[in-house]
Amino acid sequence: LVANLLLQDIRPPPEESEEPISIGEVLFPSRLVVAILTDLWRIGMINQSAVLLEKVMNIFKEKIETLKDPEALISNGAYLLNNVNEIRTCIAWSRYTAMSDFDSKIFLKAEERQDYLKMLLIMKRYCETVFGQMYNVWIKSILNELNKKTIDAVILDETLYSIRQNPNVYFRHMFHKGPKYKMFDVLRIFNNVYLAMKSYCFDEVISTSVIHDLLTYTDVLCFNDIITRESYLTVDKGLLIKYNISLLIDWCNEHTVPDSPNKLMHLLTLCQILQLKKQGFADIDMIATTCDSISRKQIEKIIGECDKNSTTESGKKLGEKTKKLKKKDQSNNSEFVIPLEDDAFENAFLCMN
């Protein structure tokens, strides 16, 4: 009953502007839960506190699982995650202090102390399990959005690149149909995640870790798609991809996200190789000695396909044909792609432990 009364109508504060909400304006229900848990521990109601914690965790978990809209899940999910993380941190800290406080008058007997520490450990592990499940729901929703939009935006969207080359065609390209998703859509995802974390008081280390994971996913996703499509391995496509990636790096610089180019190194390296004046496979040894982000086989494929596309008279026809590769055709290129498992990204909050 207490848990339901505290959390049944939990709603994150509205995001009305791009300015982060001050910490004093955000009400975290977790602080009320922590206060109640602490009082229960103080009066010796350890088992009752465990029951309350279970109810609270279930409510938080149900809240995040019922969110279906991707943008709502990014914002509301960040709010719920920070609430659960505060409870998790409180339990861990309480156990740490109890282990080092041998003079506490709370415990009349050694058995009581051991029971208290054992229950705190159980509560801490349970809280971390639920928290990990919630984080996976949140981060996978963001990765699914990137998976749906990033390839079209980074590899195919020529809007901003064409406008930069010729500002006079601004309106024509702004209203040109083009690919389904554009770089604006990818930047919007990053911006929404960043603002949600800033608004709900994520630690800077955690925020940076999350953005780095999203950059790494973008890098690997696009690199794997490009290297399995021969028609994309051209000098012109390399210029386009490099420009679109530079927009993402500029966004990171504006939001003080450090080390962003290193998280996009596969794409940047591929673009640099495509722009080199190559002499066929004679350049492979030179490139391989100075490049450690991609393998020799990948370098051979990039150079070979780029040379073929630049020298083939029917290059345009080849491009149209290879643009529609079947799955069985892409399977032949499995040795060139970078493995990306579903659990490749660890919980960013764990870096604070």
Side-chain angles (χ1 to χ4, degrees), residues 2 32 56 86 103 128 140 191 236 246 265 269 273 281 311:
V2 173
L32 301 176
V56 168
E86 187 158 337
D103 299 325
E128 288 176 345
K140 284 184 178 180
N191 211 50
D236 290 340
S246 70
M265 189 53 66
T269 302
I273 293 175
F281 285 91
T311 57

Coordinates of all heavy atoms in Angstrom, one line a residue, residues 2 32 56 86 103 128 140 191 236 246 265 269 273 281 311:
V2 N 1.9 1.2 0.9 CA 2.8 2.4 0.9 C 3.5 2.6 -0.4 O 3.6 3.7 -0.9 CB 3.9 2.2 2.0 CG1 4.9 3.3 2.0 CG2 3.2 2.2 3.4
L32 N 12.1 9.5 -1.0 CA 11.1 9.1 0.0 C 11.3 7.6 0.4 O 11.1 7.3 1.6 CB 9.7 9.4 -0.5 CG 9.4 10.8 -0.9 CD1 8.0 10.9 -1.5 CD2 9.5 11.8 0.3
V56 N 8.4 -1.8 -4.5 CA 8.9 -0.6 -5.2 C 9.6 -0.9 -6.5 O 9.3 -0.3 -7.6 CB 9.9 0.2 -4.3 CG1 10.6 1.3 -5.0 CG2 9.1 0.8 -3.1
E86 N 19.5 5.5 -7.3 CA 19.7 6.1 -6.0 C 19.3 5.1 -4.9 O 20.0 5.1 -3.9 CB 18.8 7.4 -5.9 CG 19.0 8.2 -4.7 CD 18.6 9.6 -4.8 OE1 18.5 10.1 -5.9 OE2 18.4 10.2 -3.8
D103 N 30.9 -0.4 16.4 CA 30.4 0.1 17.7 C 29.0 0.6 17.7 O 28.5 1.2 18.7 CB 31.3 1.3 18.1 CG 32.8 0.9 18.3 OD1 33.0 -0.2 18.7 OD2 33.7 1.7 17.9
E128 N 20.1 -4.6 -7.9 CA 21.0 -4.6 -9.1 C 20.4 -5.4 -10.3 O 20.6 -5.0 -11.5 CB 22.4 -5.1 -8.7 CG 23.1 -4.1 -7.9 CD 24.5 -4.7 -7.4 OE1 24.7 -5.9 -7.6 OE2 25.3 -3.9 -6.9
K140 N 18.4 -0.7 -25.2 CA 18.0 -1.4 -26.4 C 17.0 -0.7 -27.2 O 17.0 -0.7 -28.5 CB 17.5 -2.8 -26.0 CG 18.6 -3.8 -25.7 CD 18.1 -5.2 -25.4 CE 19.2 -6.1 -25.1 NZ 18.8 -7.5 -24.8
N191 N 20.5 13.9 -29.2 CA 20.2 15.1 -28.4 C 19.1 14.7 -27.3 O 19.2 15.2 -26.2 CB 19.6 16.2 -29.3 CG 19.9 17.6 -28.8 OD1 21.0 17.9 -28.5 ND2 18.9 18.4 -28.7
D236 N 33.5 9.1 -53.9 CA 32.4 10.1 -53.7 C 31.6 9.7 -52.4 O 31.2 10.6 -51.6 CB 31.4 10.1 -54.9 CG 32.1 10.8 -56.1 OD1 33.1 11.6 -55.8 OD2 31.7 10.6 -57.2
S246 N 31.1 13.9 -39.6 CA 31.6 15.1 -39.0 C 30.5 15.9 -38.3 O 30.8 16.6 -37.3 CB 32.3 16.0 -40.0 OG 31.3 16.6 -40.9
M265 N 36.1 5.4 -35.2 CA 37.4 5.2 -35.9 C 37.3 4.3 -37.1 O 37.9 4.5 -38.1 CB 38.5 4.7 -35.0 CG 39.9 4.7 -35.5 SD 40.4 6.3 -36.2 CE 40.4 7.3 -34.7
T269 N 38.4 5.8 -40.6 CA 39.5 5.1 -41.3 C 39.1 4.7 -42.7 O 39.8 4.9 -43.7 CB 40.0 3.9 -40.5 OG1 40.4 4.3 -39.2 CG2 41.2 3.2 -41.2
I273 N 40.8 5.9 -46.3 CA 41.4 5.0 -47.3 C 40.7 5.2 -48.7 O 41.4 5.2 -49.7 CB 41.1 3.5 -46.9 CG1 41.9 3.2 -45.6 CG2 41.5 2.6 -48.0 CD1 41.6 1.8 -45.0
F281 N 46.6 -2.9 -55.2 CA 47.0 -3.6 -54.0 C 48.4 -3.2 -53.5 O 48.8 -3.7 -52.5 CB 46.9 -5.1 -54.2 CG 45.5 -5.6 -54.2 CD1 44.8 -5.7 -55.4 CD2 44.9 -5.9 -53.0 CE1 43.5 -6.1 -55.4 CE2 43.6 -6.4 -53.0 CZ 42.9 -6.5 -54.2
T311 N 37.3 2.1 -62.1 CA 37.8 1.8 -63.5 C 36.8 1.1 -64.4 O 36.9 1.1 -65.6 CB 39.0 0.9 -63.3 OG1 38.7 -0.3 -62.6 CG2 40.1 1.6 -62.6

